[in-house]
Amino acid sequence: MSTPGEPPTDIATLPHPKTILLDTPWAELSHAYGTAEDTPTLLVGLLDEDPDVQAHALGQLQMSVLHQGSIYSSTAPVALFVAGILDHPHTSAEHESEYPWDDRVRTLRAALLEWLGEIAESVGYYDNREPDPEYDDPADITACRATRPTIYQAVAPYLAHTDPVTREAALGAAGRLLTAPELHAQIPVAADRLRTTLKTSSNRRERAAAVLTLTAWGQDTSELLADPDPAIRACAALTPLHTDDPRPTAILLEALSDPRAADHWFDDEPLPQLDGWFRFTLLQALLARTTTLEEILDAALALMPMANDFTVECDWGPLLLRAFPDGNTTEAALTDAQCHLLTAIAAKDDCWGNIGNKIIWLRKVGLPTDRDAIHTLLANADRTPDV
C-alpha cells in the first residue's frame, strides 16, 4: 500500500486496449439498446484516421454505454479501453461533436477525457446511496468503481498537457475521480499541482476550474477570497468555510448583483465543474449561507430578469421557498421583501408559460398557482415592514 501523497503502488496495470477489445465477451454484456456486441466496432472507430468516423463512434458510445448517465455491464471495459488509448496519436485529431447542440471543435483526446469524467460522475453518484434494484445492477456499479484508480493514473498526466482544452478536460475528469473514497489519498499531490496553476496561470477559466476542483475536494480556498479577480473570489466562496466568516456571503452577493456578467465570466462556455449557468451555483451557495429573504433580496431581484419557466428549479423556485419557509395563507400579512419578490415574479411573462414545474413550487409554499391570483394577493396584502 502507498502512503498519502505518494503515487499508489497497488493499482492494477491498465490493460492493453487490444486485450480489452479481443478478450471481453461483448455479446454477453449489455448497453442501453441491448447486447453490446456492436461495441467493439465503435471502439475501433475511435482510432479511425477519419475524424468524422471518430466523432460518430464516440457519439454512439455515449448514447449506448452511458445513456443519460446510466451504467451498464459494458461501461467498465469501455472506460478502460478509452483510458488506454488516450496517448494514441490518432486521438490528437480535431473534430466536431456528433451532437447538434454541442458546437465545440476539439481533439478526440479532450472529448474522451471529458467522457471519462462523466463516467466517474455517474459512478460517484452511488458512493453515498444504494443502487435502485429496479434500474441498477450493483455488479455493474462495482465493476465501474473498481476501474477508478486505474483510470485516474491514465488521466493524471494530462493535467500538465500543453493544450489548455485538454488540461481542462483532464481536470474535470480528475476532479470527479478523486472524490472516490479509495482515491482520497491522492488529493494532496493533485491539490498542490492545482495551487501551482493558480499562482502561475493568468487564464481566468483555468484558474476558476482549479478553484472549483479544490472546493469539490473539500480543500481550504480561504486565501483566494482576496484574489483580485472577482470570478476567482466567487469560486473560492463556494467552499463550505466557517459560517462566522462574513467574506464568502459578501462575495456571493457581489457576484449576484450582476448575474448576467457572472454567467459570462468563463467565455460563455460552462466549466466542467459546473452544472448549468454559474448564477445557479452562486445562488445555491448563497442560500446555504443565509437564513432570511431580506439578506438576499437584492440578489433575488437581480436574478428575476433572467428567470423563466425553465429555470424555476434553479432560481425563483428556491427563492420562493426562502421567502415562505413555513408556507403562506391569503390571510397572512406579507413582508415588504415577500411583496418585492412576488411582484417581480408576477411581472415576468416568461415565468408564466405552459411549463408546469412552477406549480409544484407555488403549491409547496402555499401560494396560488394562477398569475392573476398572485396579483390579487399582492393588491390585498396587509404589508408589514421588514425588520
Side-chain angles (χ1 to χ4, degrees):
M1 294 287 290
S2 59
T3 57
E6 294 180 352
T9 58
D10 55 348
I11 291 178
T13 302
L14 186 66
H16 193 280
K18 186 175 181 180
T19 301
I20 299 173
L21 195 66
L22 298 178
D23 292 353
T24 302
W26 298 104
E28 300 175 18
L29 305 181
S30 64
H31 55 48
Y33 303 105
T35 176
E37 59 187 347
D38 61 337
T39 301
T41 301
L42 296 174
L43 295 177
V44 172
L46 291 175
L47 297 178
D48 196 275
E49 294 184 354
D50 185 343
D52 289 337
V53 174
Q54 292 179 320
H56 178 71
L58 178 57
Q60 293 300 304
L61 286 167
Q62 289 172 316
M63 289 191 297
S64 59
V65 305
L66 195 69
H67 182 72
Q68 296 182 347
S70 297
I71 294 171
Y72 305 90
S73 56
S74 60
T75 307
V78 168
L80 288 171
F81 180 92
V82 168
I85 65 170
L86 289 174
D87 62 351
H88 194 286
H90 286 182
T91 63
S92 63
E94 292 188 343
H95 61 72
E96 294 182 354
S97 169
E98 177 86 348
Y99 301 126
W101 58 83
D102 185 354
D103 58 0
R104 292 175 293 175
V105 176
R106 53 185 173 159
T107 65
L108 176 64
R109 181 177 293 123
L112 292 176
L113 283 164
E114 183 177 290
W115 191 45
L116 287 173
E118 292 171 2
I119 294 175
E121 182 177 25
S122 291
V123 180
Y125 175 83
Y126 297 99
D127 285 338
N128 299 310
R129 56 180 56 81
E130 292 296 323
D132 185 336
E134 185 176 353
Y135 301 102
D136 307 315
D137 187 334
D140 298 342
I141 297 167
T142 298
C144 285
R145 186 178 285 127
T147 68
R148 292 188 292 194
T150 305
I151 290 174
Y152 175 69
Q153 294 306 301
V155 168
Y158 295 97
L159 291 170
H161 198 270
T162 56
D163 173 37
V165 177
T166 300
R167 288 199 305 272
E168 180 177 307
L171 181 56
R176 294 183 176 107
L177 286 162
L178 290 189
T179 60
E182 67 272 21
L183 285 172
H184 283 179
Q186 306 310 310
I187 288 178
V189 171
D192 285 345
R193 179 178 293 180
L194 296 189
R195 294 188 189 283
T196 298
T197 297
L198 283 165
K199 293 176 181 177
T200 59
S201 175
S202 60
N203 184 289
R204 167 185 276 180
R205 185 178 178 89
E206 183 167 32
R207 297 185 74 230
V211 180
L212 290 170
T213 303
L214 288 171
T215 64
W217 292 341
Q219 299 294 293
D220 183 8
T221 58
S222 57
E223 74 278 7
L224 295 166
L225 294 173
D227 194 274
D229 188 334
I232 303 305
R233 293 198 300 272
C235 290
L238 299 176
T239 302
L241 302 171
H242 297 299
T243 54
D244 57 356
D245 186 341
R247 293 177 299 167
T249 301
I251 290 169
L252 294 170
L253 286 169
E254 177 188 19
L256 284 173
S257 67
D258 190 351
R260 194 177 302 275
D263 274 349
H264 297 283
W265 272 340
F266 310 117
D267 303 326
D268 297 344
E269 182 66 39
L271 290 163
Q273 294 82 3
L274 297 177
D275 184 13
W277 289 108
F278 193 34
R279 69 181 188 272
F280 300 152
T281 300
L282 293 171
L283 176 60
Q284 183 180 33
L286 182 62
L287 289 170
R289 288 191 164 277
T290 56
T291 57
T292 68
L293 176 63
E294 286 73 19
E295 293 174 272
I296 63 168
L297 182 60
D298 288 345
L301 297 179
L303 283 162
M304 284 311 302
M306 305 173 71
N308 57 58
D309 264 351
F310 296 97
T311 68
V312 63
E313 304 286 345
C314 301
D315 50 25
W316 62 284
L319 286 171
L320 279 173
L321 193 59
R322 169 56 57 86
F324 300 97
D326 300 318
N328 179 70
T329 64
T330 55
E331 292 80 18
L334 297 179
T335 67
D336 283 344
Q338 289 171 332
C339 286
H340 283 307
L341 179 63
L342 285 182
T343 298
I345 292 172
K348 191 68 165 50
D349 291 342
D350 291 345
C351 291
W352 299 95
N354 295 323
I355 306 301
N357 288 7
K358 60 179 170 290
I359 294 176
I360 298 173
W361 289 93
L362 290 164
R363 286 177 175 169
K364 186 183 298 186
V365 298
L367 287 171
T369 59
D370 179 75
R371 187 183 190 182
D372 290 338
I374 295 288
H375 282 300
T376 300
L377 174 64
L378 286 165
N380 297 330
D382 179 14
R383 297 179 63 158
T384 59
D386 300 333
V387 178

